[in-house]
Amino acid sequence: MKKIAVIYQDRSSIGLARFVATTIEEVFKDYAFVENYFLDELPDNFKIMADAHVLSDNSVITPAKNHLANFDTLTILTRDINSNEIKALDELPADTDVLVVNDTYQTSVETIYALYSLKVCHLNLFPFNPEEDNMTVYSGFSVAITQGEAHLVPPFISNTIDIGPREVSASTLVKLIDILSLDTDVIHRNLIRHIKSYFDTSLGFHDAYLNNYLKTTVFNKFMNESESATIIINDEYDIIFVNEKAETEILAPFYAGKPDNGHRQKLSLKNTELFYALSDDYRNKSTVIRGEKYFISKEPIAVMDEILGYYITIQSERDVRDVEQTARKKLSGDGLTAKYHFADIVHGSEVMDVCISTAKTAARTEHTILITGESGVGKELIAQSIHNYSRRSGAPFVAINCAALPETLLESELFGYESGAFTGARRTGKIGLFEQAAGGSIFLDEIGDISFQMQLSLLRVLQEKQIMRIGGNSMISVDTRVIAATNKNLSEEVKKGNFRKDLFFRLNVITVNIPPLMQRSDDILPLMLHFLGDSFKRLSDDDKNLLKQHPWPGNVRELESVATYFETFGALPDYLHNGERAVFDASDAPAFDSENIRRQILDIISSGTQLSHGVGRSVLSDSLKERGIHIGDKNLRSILSEMNDNGLITIERGRIGMRITSKGYQTLKILGYNQK
């Protein structure tokens, strides 16, 4: 238990001494006790030994000097008026002359100041001097205010209002908490109760301590729960604040051998390894501390151009890896995973054996991979299989169709943006797909359709392995493997000037070409067996021959649609018998026929439905307009909602958009949409 010495001039203050001791011990109960000292009773060379020393007032400073061994533990007692006792003053008429009586002239003046601070402004307050020889100078007063000193009030004053002794101020008790290093919840609770006992909360004067305590508590909780070690220093590199992680992991060796007196934060960083690492202003630089690699950021704390100190965050490379692993697990839970493996690729042709073998070899490398092939051949299936066959299989797989989004939206999706980067941006900013795919793979489908500006941005990512968020001012390193895909001949696009040559060579490190279905007829029946299951037995030999002879311009996607049609009607579509392609002519039906509109919506969504995404409403609306259908956004929303309710399509937020269901495919076939 710690000792608090309260020092007075003499025993004339014995009543005050007992009152002060009782108050302090109520607050520091079980942690500290009070011992009173009276200077006129002490031997000349006597030293007052205590953990904290409190002087009763300023007049005691000089005579107490020779009795103090440690001035770092010194504070002066200040006192507050009990605001609950001054309500009687409200009944006094305005402009009444009132004599304020206390044991000294100085304390009378202090009481007047305190009363004015408590908004007692309607009275004319005058200080009383008990050393005045001629008391008749106060004969004009009929009202006096005193604080437990009624015996000092001149006898001719008829109305004396005793507002009780002044309480030990919260500022004195807070100072003692700091000196004694007793920053405990119990003491703060006792102090809060003490403040509330003598301060009328409606006056708001308790807020200075209470609100500051609330802010400090939240600040400490936030900082101590941080994944980073945090240190705040002043401009001289003296420590102002350290969180628990910084104290135990970074500064523990520095503190070794130094007393834990609660003032560790007053130590300096100047003679530590950290000082040399922090000699320059920088962000996210790496350094080695006691053999372990750390990432350190140092941010100035300034008022305009006047630097007051620095905010330092420190993370070990080990912790950063742990955070990344946790993030990857969360992203996996959010669906950013590859579902398919090479074993899932149904085939029977040698040409697909070669394709898969090439893809497996490429998967084991870290090189960028370009997958080429016509629409519908299964490029994303190969991309997911490559990811799952690589060392990155446990990390995120993120896919995006570059042709499905306008340039500005594509840029924000890929690279993310900072808070307030543009109108409508999230207040917290947004992490981009490259960052979400950190440690894993990003699949950029339809890469041949991006603009020249986006081509330049992607080239920078492939070259530097860094991205910059929209509205940001710093580069972010990304360890993300790029797998791109296109149905275009990029070398021809380069010759035409539609695609950057430098980007083409960056993408075309390893090419995996998926042949169209018409070049691998041995895959057709295995795929039909996969799509139909037991219904495959219903196919006749003629049906199988028709399937092998068809050119399959829609590749595997078209084959799947034919399988759905056969499962529904028990026969192959007529256009296979006629040797025709599955097309739709918009002129075959009235543009505003409701059934026709739904057929065309299903056709558009069917064409855009992929493994990782569907069709956005804006793309759907534009496609309908190209077909001469202008129904307005409100009507389109209504139709889509109805189709979603009927199970024909699914509508999801973000890049997934709208996708056709199995029921939707069947309805499309029933409506004869694949027939001229």
Side-chain angles (χ1 to χ4, degrees):
M1 185 174 288
K2 298 189 177 183
K3 175 181 173 180
I4 302 171
V6 185
I7 305 169
Y8 301 88
Q9 182 62 49
D10 52 50
R11 282 192 177 269
S12 64
S13 302
I14 187 64
L16 172 63
R18 291 170 179 164
F19 176 78
V20 170
T22 299
T23 300
I24 293 176
E25 289 182 344
E26 284 179 353
V27 173
F28 289 89
K29 186 184 302 182
D30 299 329
Y31 289 89
F33 68 94
V34 173
E35 188 167 330
N36 294 319
Y37 291 87
F38 304 97
L39 292 176
D40 64 346
E41 299 176 2
L42 299 179
D44 291 341
N45 296 324
F46 181 82
K47 297 296 183 181
I48 302 174
M49 305 305 295
D51 298 291
H53 299 81
V54 182
L55 303 182
S56 60
D57 56 58
N58 291 329
S59 66
V60 184
I61 295 176
T62 300
K65 181 179 179 181
N66 294 331
H67 298 287
L68 299 175
N70 186 357
F71 290 89
D72 290 338
T73 61
L74 184 65
T75 188
I76 297 176
L77 176 68
T78 58
R79 299 164 66 197
D80 290 328
I81 292 175
N82 189 326
S83 65
N84 293 313
E85 300 296 331
I86 65 173
K87 295 178 181 178
L89 303 182
D90 294 338
E91 299 178 4
L92 295 176
D95 292 326
T96 299
D97 292 338
V98 179
L99 185 65
V100 178
V101 178
N102 221 312
D103 54 349
T104 67
Y105 178 80
Q106 180 62 33
T107 53
S108 296
V109 172
E110 291 173 1
T111 300
I112 291 175
Y113 175 77
L115 287 170
Y116 282 140
S117 297
L118 290 172
K119 301 181 182 180
V120 181
C121 302
H122 67 295
L123 305 176
N124 303 320
L125 305 178
F126 297 88
F128 171 76
N129 185 0
E131 297 180 3
E132 176 63 55
D133 294 332
N134 183 11
M135 288 294 166
T136 59
V137 298
Y138 303 118
S139 60
F141 292 93
S142 60
V143 180
I145 297 173
T146 187
Q147 293 179 287
E149 305 287 355
H151 62 284
L152 296 177
V153 177
F156 48 78
I157 293 181
S158 59
N159 185 8
T160 298
I161 301 174
D162 192 340
I163 59 175
R166 290 186 297 161
E167 301 284 348
V168 178
S169 69
S171 60
T172 297
L173 296 168
V174 170
K175 180 67 175 176
L176 285 174
I177 290 174
D178 181 55
I179 292 173
L180 298 171
S181 299
L182 291 175
D183 190 6
T184 71
D185 289 341
V186 172
I187 291 176
H188 281 292
R189 183 213 47 202
N190 295 343
L191 178 53
I192 290 169
R193 289 176 177 175
H194 169 69
I195 294 173
K196 289 184 175 180
S197 71
Y198 74 87
F199 259 153
D200 182 351
T201 57
S202 65
L203 295 172
F205 284 91
H206 67 309
D207 289 353
Y209 167 75
L210 297 184
N211 290 353
N212 185 64
Y213 178 73
L214 290 174
K215 293 174 185 176
T216 301
T217 299
V218 173
F219 173 80
N220 287 337
K221 179 178 174 62
F222 173 78
M223 297 299 271
N224 286 324
E225 290 180 354
S226 171
E227 296 292 337
S228 303
T230 303
I231 305 173
I232 298 175
I233 57 175
N234 62 20
D235 57 345
E236 295 294 327
Y237 283 75
D238 297 325
I239 298 175
I240 306 301
F241 171 85
V242 296
N243 69 352
E244 292 174 0
K245 193 175 183 69
E247 184 167 7
T248 56
E249 295 187 14
I250 306 298
L251 297 176
F254 175 50
Y255 286 146
K258 293 181 172 61
D260 184 3
N261 58 5
H263 293 275
R264 286 179 167 180
Q265 68 270 25
K266 295 182 180 179
L267 298 175
S268 174
L269 290 181
K270 282 190 174 178
N271 297 318
T272 68
E273 292 177 85
L274 276 178
F275 176 72
Y276 302 104
L278 295 168
S279 57
D280 298 318
D281 291 342
Y282 55 72
R283 298 180 183 178
N284 296 321
K285 296 293 183 180
S286 62
T287 189
V288 176
I289 302 174
R290 297 189 301 280
E292 185 170 354
K293 188 175 181 180
Y294 286 86
F295 299 100
I296 302 181
S297 289
K298 173 186 170 188
E299 299 280 353
I301 302 171
V303 177
M304 297 182 69
D305 58 349
E306 184 69 23
I307 294 178
L308 304 178
Y310 299 93
Y311 174 79
I312 301 164
T313 56
I314 308 168
Q315 276 189 303
S316 71
E317 186 179 37
R318 168 176 40 83
D319 287 344
V320 171
R321 286 198 302 267
D322 290 344
V323 170
E324 288 180 349
Q325 289 174 3
T326 301
R328 288 170 190 165
K329 289 179 181 178
K330 182 180 185 305
L331 291 172
S332 296
D334 290 341
L336 300 180
T337 56
K339 297 185 295 182
Y340 298 101
H341 299 73
F342 285 118
D344 298 318
I345 301 176
V346 177
H347 69 288
S349 63
E350 291 184 5
V351 69
M352 276 306 294
D353 284 336
V354 173
C355 176
I356 292 172
S357 177
T358 302
K360 284 183 176 180
T361 302
R364 292 302 190 185
T365 73
E366 285 296 302
H367 302 309
T368 299
I369 297 174
L370 178 64
I371 303 173
T372 61
E374 296 178 1
S375 294
V377 294
K379 293 188 286 294
E380 183 166 350
L381 188 65
I382 291 289
Q384 291 194 24
S385 300
I386 288 173
H387 173 79
N388 280 331
Y389 200 74
S390 73
R391 69 169 186 84
R392 297 172 179 264
S393 58
F397 175 85
V398 179
I400 185 171
N401 187 313
C402 299
L405 299 173
E407 180 182 348
T408 53
L409 184 55
L410 178 62
E411 184 180 12
S412 67
E413 285 291 314
L414 289 176
F415 306 128
Y417 55 81
E418 299 291 351
S419 173
F422 50 84
T423 302
R426 294 179 187 173
R427 186 175 59 182
T428 55
K430 180 182 179 182
I431 185 172
L433 296 182
F434 268 100
E435 289 181 80
Q436 290 186 42
S441 308
I442 186 168
F443 176 52
L444 305 176
D445 198 7
E446 307 297 352
I447 191 73
D449 293 314
I450 62 174
S451 69
F452 243 67
Q453 182 59 42
M454 279 303 300
Q455 291 176 31
L456 181 60
S457 298
L458 282 177
L459 177 64
R460 188 180 301 116
V461 176
L462 292 172
Q463 287 177 335
E464 308 298 335
K465 300 296 183 182
Q466 292 181 321
I467 60 103
M468 181 184 291
R469 292 181 182 177
I470 299 174
N473 56 13
S474 61
M475 302 301 294
I476 301 172
S477 297
V478 288
D479 174 26
T480 304
R481 183 190 201 167
V482 174
I483 303 173
T486 182
N487 58 10
K488 294 184 177 181
N489 186 329
L490 289 188
S491 60
E492 290 297 322
E493 294 299 310
V494 170
K495 292 177 183 178
K496 295 176 183 177
N498 296 331
F499 203 83
R500 294 181 62 98
K501 183 188 295 185
D502 46 7
L503 177 59
F504 171 67
F505 288 120
R506 283 284 178 182
L507 290 171
N508 197 35
V509 179
I510 296 178
T511 302
V512 176
N513 181 60
I514 306 175
L517 190 56
M518 65 179 297
Q519 293 180 11
R520 45 190 176 107
S521 59
D522 288 344
D523 291 346
I524 295 173
L525 294 184
L527 284 168
M528 283 298 285
L529 175 61
H530 172 71
F531 294 139
L532 291 176
D534 290 340
S535 297
F536 181 79
K537 298 175 183 178
R538 295 159 53 193
L539 284 171
S540 67
D541 290 340
D542 289 340
D543 291 333
K544 293 175 182 178
N545 288 330
L546 276 177
L547 293 172
K548 287 184 177 181
Q549 293 169 7
H550 185 67
W552 299 109
N555 291 292
V556 179
R557 188 181 300 130
E558 182 186 359
L559 182 64
E560 185 178 11
S561 295
V562 168
T564 302
Y565 186 93
F566 180 83
E567 192 171 27
T568 304
F569 296 103
L572 296 177
D574 289 345
Y575 76 86
L576 291 182
H577 295 279
N578 300 330
E580 298 170 349
R581 297 177 60 178
V583 296
F584 174 79
D585 187 347
S587 64
D588 286 354
F592 291 97
D593 175 70
S594 61
E595 184 176 287
N596 176 50
I597 291 173
R598 284 164 175 76
R599 284 201 303 266
Q600 295 195 58
I601 289 174
L602 285 174
D603 178 58
I604 294 167
I605 296 177
S606 171
S607 299
T609 296
Q610 305 288 333
L611 291 172
S612 62
H613 65 82
V615 176
R617 197 175 65 254
S618 61
V619 173
L620 174 61
S621 179
D622 291 342
S623 298
L624 287 172
K625 289 175 183 176
E626 291 176 1
R627 299 186 178 194
I629 297 177
H630 304 268
I631 59 175
D633 189 61
K634 183 177 180 181
N635 290 330
L636 180 58
R637 285 175 182 270
S638 177
I639 293 172
L640 292 174
S641 177
E642 176 192 330
M643 295 175 72
N644 180 63
D645 293 341
N646 291 334
L648 302 177
I649 61 172
T650 61
I651 302 176
E652 299 185 49
R653 293 183 177 181
R655 66 185 183 89
I656 296 178
M658 296 172 289
R659 293 194 283 194
I660 192 169
T661 64
S662 296
K663 183 179 179 181
Y665 276 121
Q666 294 172 6
T667 302
L668 195 58
K669 302 303 180 183
I670 292 171
L671 293 174
Y673 199 75
N674 279 330
Q675 303 176 35
K676 277 188 177 180

